[in-house]
Amino acid sequence: EVQLVETGGGLIQPGGSLRLSCAASGFSVSSNYMSWVRQAPGKGLEWVSIIFTDDSALSADSVKGRFTISRDNSKNMLYLQMNSLRAEDTAVYYCARSPLVQGVIGWFDSWGQGILVTVSS
Amino acid sequence: DIQMTQSPSTLSASVGDRVTITCRASQSVRNYLAWYQQKPGKAPKLLIYKASSLESGVPSRFSGSGSGTEFTLTISSLQPDDFATYYCQHCDGYPWTFGQGTKVEIK
């Protein structure tokens, strides 16, 4: 069974740093396209970052230069290092998997339960 | 960035109703579009991918159609478990973006 479990959230002051972790089971993160998606309280969904199977990555402009996605294949873990946090980064953060189907990736077929990050003084 | 706009924002319906939600893209996304269902406090659940392909395990009352800039999600006969918020998402180039959501409420 595919499972994703996020940890590492909490309350952090503006300008601070936090690292989110996502433990995967039932599949290998190394051979899948993995993303972070966030949802501000009462708001819609926002794609944040993706890491590809070749270890390259892309991020949304809103987090570029501040957030870094990475993975540890030996631990089957996905990470999101968040630096220079702002109040507008307050959200539930989900890790999610994008399957490769007929040569196309882009939708998320498996999601974690989400972890809340609150940026406030 | 491609903007995704859903309509309506809120929809009131009764069990058994046929429900249609529309998603419009600011430019063509071909058929690279997905639909999700989200219930309060839960992660989104994939319903439809590539505009019209039903995800495994999703009831057949859900269907998707469209291509280019206009897409629809249809629930053929609304069930009590279907009251939730629905999101569309494009994946035709980065950044992937979502619609603002459509809340399906009990009438």
Side-chain angles (χ1 to χ4, degrees):
Chain A
E1 179 192 5
V2 171
Q3 192 171 18
L4 295 163
V5 179
E6 302 95 338
T7 55
L11 175 63
I12 187 78
Q13 290 190 340
S17 297
L18 204 60
R19 188 178 82 155
L20 303 183
S21 300
C22 173
S25 58
F27 73 102
S28 172
V29 296
S30 64
S31 56
N32 280 269
Y33 303 88
M34 300 297 298
S35 285
W36 289 94
V37 177
R38 68 183 180 183
Q39 187 170 34
K43 303 298 184 183
L45 299 162
E46 179 187 18
W47 168 78
V48 173
S49 293
I50 184 170
I51 186 165
F52 300 96
T53 53
D54 65 359
D55 284 342
S56 62
L58 285 174
S59 294
D61 284 349
S62 58
V63 305
K64 202 168 290 183
R66 300 188 299 124
F67 290 12
T68 303
I69 189 172
S70 64
R71 66 177 169 226
D72 184 330
N73 295 336
S74 66
K75 296 180 179 179
N76 214 26
M77 296 283 292
L78 179 73
Y79 303 102
L80 185 68
Q81 178 65 45
M82 304 185 293
N83 299 330
S84 303
L85 282 160
R86 307 166 179 167
E88 55 264 36
D89 295 319
T90 294
V92 173
Y93 285 74
Y94 297 98
C95 62
R97 182 182 76 171
S98 292
L100 176 64
V101 177
Q102 300 169 10
V104 179
I105 64 165
W107 45 88
F108 306 107
D109 71 342
S110 299
W111 297 69
Q113 85 285 357
I115 192 79
L116 177 62
V117 173
T118 303
V119 184
S120 175
S121 55
Chain B
D1 298 359
I2 297 174
Q3 307 302 316
M4 309 300 293
T5 304
Q6 292 181 229
S7 60
S9 295
T10 306
L11 187 158
S12 296
S14 302
V15 172
D17 284 353
R18 181 181 181 88
V19 167
T20 298
I21 299 168
T22 298
C23 176
R24 290 186 173 87
S26 59
Q27 64 189 71
S28 175
V29 297
R30 295 181 280 180
N31 67 339
Y32 296 153
L33 186 106
W35 289 97
Y36 301 88
Q37 176 193 69
Q38 187 179 34
K39 297 181 178 179
K42 300 294 186 182
K45 173 187 174 183
L46 178 65
L47 300 174
I48 302 285
Y49 62 93
K50 285 194 77 176
S52 60
S53 295
L54 189 69
E55 172 70 349
S56 176
V58 173
S60 58
R61 64 180 179 273
F62 292 92
S63 63
S65 64
S67 66
T69 62
E70 186 153 336
F71 302 85
T72 59
L73 173 71
T74 299
I75 309 173
S76 60
S77 178
L78 197 65
Q79 298 302 300
D81 191 48
D82 301 338
F83 292 97
T85 300
Y86 294 84
Y87 294 92
C88 62
Q89 176 229 336
H90 90 84
C91 50
D92 190 5
Y94 299 93
W96 297 337
T97 55
F98 292 84
Q100 82 280 12
T102 296
K103 186 175 182 180
V104 177
E105 297 181 328
I106 300 172
K107 190 171 184 180

